[in-house]
Amino acid sequence: MAGPSHDPALYRTRDVVPVRRALVSVSDKTDLLALGEALAAAGVEIVSTGGSATLLREAGHTVTDVSSVTGFPESLDGRVKTLHPSVHAGLLADLRLEDHERQLDELHIAPFELVVVNLYPFVETVRSGAQGDDVVEQIDIGGPAMVRASAKNYANVAIVVSPSSYPAVIEAVRAGGTSLAQRRELAARAFAHTAEYDRAVATWFSEGTLTEEDLPAHLTIKAERLATLRYGENSHQRAAIYTRNGGHGIAQATQLQGKEMSYNNYVDADAALRAAFDMVKPAVAIIKHANPCGIAVTAPNALDPIASAHLRAHECDPVSAYGGVIAANGTVTLKMAENLKDIFTEVIVAPSFEPEALEVFKAKKNLRLLQLPQDWQQERMDVRLVSGGLLLQDADRFPDDIESVAKDWQLVSGERPADDDMTNLIFAWKACRAVKSNAIVLAKGSATVGIGMGQVNRVDSCRLAVERAGDRAAGSVAASDAFFPFADGPQILLDAGISAIIQPGGSVRDDEVIAAAQAANVTMFFTGERHFFH
């Protein structure tokens, strides 16, 4: 059934709407007191329910109970609170129409100009292991009804569903009211919020679970635009960065200084994190065009571990490191900053920076510094868009106890190395995951010395890694992200003096590859697991 229609000539212009009356009912009470203080200071009447009302009153603010607006008490264990004409007429009245204004007056109902609502923690409840009625009771009914009503009436009402929107709304209230453009943007976020909520409920009813390990039958990804970028990969492409709901990654990093981040900066910074944060010891990765040109952990007994890791990573390929993006898995120190003074670098991303390092970096005004959020974590799932849809997979992660796992790797040639050499092999295997396929990594002392990447055959990747390593190839170890289909690739490595090779195995010609390693008396491990990165 179609909704009512009106003559456009009857609509009055309404851009900036002063906030005189606000309805507040939130489950997530983050920064609620800051919002309440701003509303009270602006003389806004606050109508609220339950815990929200209690919290605001305890802070000293005057609050009107919803029950006094509806003339009806909260009932059925709180299932019925706001589902009432005295509330929803105040949300849905289009005051651009004189007739709606007249009807509100006749009904003695005051309109709302601001609604702040977020929903019961349904997803969190399911993921806590709750079952049955405990989950059902966290299905919000009145909340989504208020959100959708307010969002539909964005011409008159600002709907806020996330504490992240509070600062802009507080500023608007203080400035005299919300603008039409702001209310429309808030409405878009609100409809996305309820859509995601409904998807979670529907998934639970159909599958009985919402655990992060499951591949859902229906997938909705909620993200909000953080910033419009100057351009995309190339200057003729439009681009923006969006933050995903619940994200704790590069999109949530704080930029401490430097030029505006570009599309390519974000891609490279994320790739750098992938490389550096696989390592347990202090580590640094240098990325160029989404590929590593150097990865290293600190040298033994280094006085400044993170600075040591950076110098060792830089030594792998100093030419390619020019204009690179750097990630450190520990605090960037003064020493590391001093080492970077004469090296052109686009971005440095790290969990923290020493104040003295920040002072040094001030001389490089264009250098972008990104500080990761304290709760930064690697993603559990990878999502990639394809034409007409998307791909979803588990993120490629190494086990925390990889040293224990390594004990089960199959030794197919040579002798098992000493502990230090085994540590170097594990490092090479981890570093290989961060390199675009076909990937070959040569390493010494847990630092890369040669990298071959992105070639359409593994032989060329072997040649490239050996060429870049030069004399350093002799005595290094090699890691391959997938099996060698023929013995020609390993032979290039063996001829360069490689001391050990680690690879997944699984080729129909494994016997030929093993025979080549045995003929050279070189150690070779099969891991049984590949690490393609396309």
Side-chain angles (χ1 to χ4, degrees), residues 444-485:
K444 272 185 180 179
S446 297
T448 57
V449 295
I451 302 175
M453 77 290 279
Q455 304 303 301
V456 293
N457 65 73
R458 201 159 294 277
V459 174
D460 284 345
S461 288
C462 290
R463 289 196 184 100
L464 183 57
V466 168
E467 178 184 333
R468 288 185 169 177
D471 294 341
R472 297 173 297 174
S476 67
V477 303
S480 174
D481 64 345
F483 64 65
F484 290 98

Side-chain angles (χ1 to χ4, degrees), residues 403-417:
E403 287 78 10
S404 298
V405 174
K407 293 177 181 178
D408 295 326
W409 289 343
Q410 183 184 3
L411 180 64
V412 296
S413 175
E415 297 182 357
R416 188 175 186 89

Side-chain angles (χ1 to χ4, degrees), residues 246-416:
H248 304 281
I250 195 68
Q252 286 74 35
T254 301
Q255 185 167 352
L256 303 180
Q257 75 160 52
K259 293 195 299 184
E260 174 188 349
M261 287 284 289
S262 72
Y263 181 97
N264 292 332
N265 289 155
Y266 278 114
V267 171
D268 285 344
D270 205 40
L273 291 181
R274 177 186 177 96
F277 280 77
D278 270 339
M279 307 303 168
V280 177
K281 294 180 179 179
V284 167
I286 306 172
I287 299 294
K288 197 72 170 292
H289 302 302
N291 261 310
C293 48
I295 308 171
V297 300
T298 181
N301 304 316
L303 295 178
D304 190 319
I306 207 71
S308 166
H310 167 252
L311 286 178
R312 303 180 81 223
H314 184 80
E315 288 169 356
C316 178
D317 189 352
V319 174
S320 298
Y322 178 86
V325 170
I326 296 175
N329 69 355
T331 301
V332 172
T333 61
L334 171 61
K335 179 61 176 173
M336 179 174 168
E338 290 175 338
N339 292 341
L340 277 162
K341 280 195 299 187
D342 298 324
I343 301 173
F344 172 51
T345 302
E346 291 278 5
V347 184
I348 302 174
V349 55
S352 56
F353 296 79
E354 287 184 351
E356 296 83 0
L358 294 176
E359 286 299 316
V360 171
F361 288 138
K362 283 182 180 178
K364 301 167 73 74
K365 294 183 179 180
N366 290 334
L367 172 62
R368 305 162 179 90
L369 301 181
L370 294 186
Q371 183 168 309
L372 293 170
Q374 290 185 349
D375 57 353
W376 183 85
Q377 57 190 243
Q378 295 193 54
E379 297 287 353
R380 297 190 177 195
M381 304 296 292
D382 284 337
V383 179
R384 180 174 297 187
L385 294 178
V386 294
S387 55
L390 55 81
L391 298 170
L392 177 69
Q393 66 173 353
D394 293 324
D396 187 11
R397 302 273 292 276
F398 289 107
D400 294 335
D401 61 341
I402 189 169
E403 287 78 10
S404 298
V405 174
K407 293 177 181 178
D408 295 326
W409 289 343
Q410 183 184 3
L411 180 64
V412 296
S413 175
E415 297 182 357
R416 188 175 186 89

Side-chain angles (χ1 to χ4, degrees), residues 398 402-412 416 422 425-427 429-430 502-503 524-529:
F398 289 107
I402 189 169
E403 287 78 10
S404 298
V405 174
K407 293 177 181 178
D408 295 326
W409 289 343
Q410 183 184 3
L411 180 64
V412 296
R416 188 175 186 89
M422 199 66 197
L425 268 173
I426 292 172
F427 167 83
W429 185 236
K430 282 186 169 184
I502 185 167
Q503 59 133 323
M524 181 181 287
F525 281 101
F526 283 0
T527 66
E529 182 177 77

